[in-house]
Amino acid sequence: MIGAIITGSLVLLADAAHMAADAAGVGLSLLATWFAERPPTAKRTFGYARAEILAAMANALLLLGMAALIFTEAIRRLSSPPGISSGLLIGFGVGALVANTVSLLLLRTGQAESLNVRGAFLEVAADTLGAAAVIVTGVIVSLTGARLADPIASMVVGVLILPRTWRLLREAVDVLLEASPEGIDLDEIRT
């Protein structure tokens, strides 16, 4: 966030806000995992297993809100893009890329076992693409002076957020509504 303020870049602000939301999401995911491991009680006969699904849903809703904010500000900046400090922008982008790569490596194995961890993995994967967008934006502005690259790249970051967020939200809602698992033909099972 400080880097976005210093550089004046919306794409860096979008990436930083997305990463902050991801950090909060990972914290929420860890808390939900801890709750999910608690044993059933007389009042909660199935335990707290659905806490992970609620956390995944909260993450998805938070990310949808972030995308809306990014698009709103990017559209506003298309009409009058402010100047940005491209050298600092590239430096912050490289730092974010390194941090996201380490996070992806840490979450890689757990994402196949938990919807909640998969949500965190997908968030970090999009952050990695966002960091790359920050670097590319910095290079474009540095080489060409094209200030429109910043709001355009911000919208690209916003677009990167939407498909995986929608998929995560749909999967969480399906679990909460006890929908048939994907790939299961109920008519075939009944037969």
Side-chain angles (χ1 to χ4, degrees), residues 16-41:
H18 187 215
M19 288 179 71
D22 288 348
V26 169
L28 185 59
S29 296
L30 290 172
L31 181 64
T33 300
W34 178 75
F35 264 105
E37 291 175 351
R38 294 175 68 185
T41 65

Side-chain angles (χ1 to χ4, degrees), residues 161-180:
I161 295 170
L162 293 176
R164 67 185 179 75
T165 300
W166 183 254
R167 189 170 38 254
L168 179 64
L169 182 60
R170 189 187 73 233
E171 288 177 22
V173 168
D174 282 351
V175 170
L176 291 174
L177 295 177
E178 298 182 2
S180 301

Side-chain angles (χ1 to χ4, degrees), residues 43-189:
K43 193 167 188 144
R44 303 260 192 283
T45 56
F46 288 99
Y48 294 86
R50 298 287 172 143
E52 283 189 271
I53 303 305
L54 293 173
M57 180 177 254
N59 284 344
L61 293 173
L62 182 63
L63 288 169
L64 286 174
M66 294 301 304
L69 289 173
I70 291 166
F71 283 120
T72 301
E73 182 61 17
I75 290 168
R76 189 184 72 72
R77 286 191 179 202
L78 282 173
S79 62
S80 60
I84 61 172
S85 175
S86 59
L88 287 172
L89 184 60
I90 293 167
F92 281 110
V94 169
L97 186 64
V98 169
N100 287 324
T101 301
V102 169
S103 297
L104 279 174
L105 292 173
L106 292 172
L107 293 169
R108 184 182 55 197
T109 56
Q111 63 104 15
E113 300 168 12
S114 166
L115 180 61
N116 197 25
V117 176
R118 185 179 334 148
F121 179 83
L122 292 172
E123 289 173 14
V124 174
D127 281 342
T128 303
L129 295 174
V134 168
I135 295 167
V136 169
T137 301
V139 169
I140 289 171
V141 171
S142 177
L143 295 176
T144 68
R147 297 183 305 170
L148 282 176
D150 187 53
I152 291 169
S154 300
M155 288 190 281
V156 169
V157 171
V159 167
L160 291 174
I161 295 170
L162 293 176
R164 67 185 179 75
T165 300
W166 183 254
R167 189 170 38 254
L168 179 64
L169 182 60
R170 189 187 73 233
E171 288 177 22
V173 168
D174 282 351
V175 170
L176 291 174
L177 295 177
E178 298 182 2
S180 301
E182 194 171 316
I184 300 293
D185 184 351
L186 282 181
D187 292 332
E188 184 180 326
I189 291 172

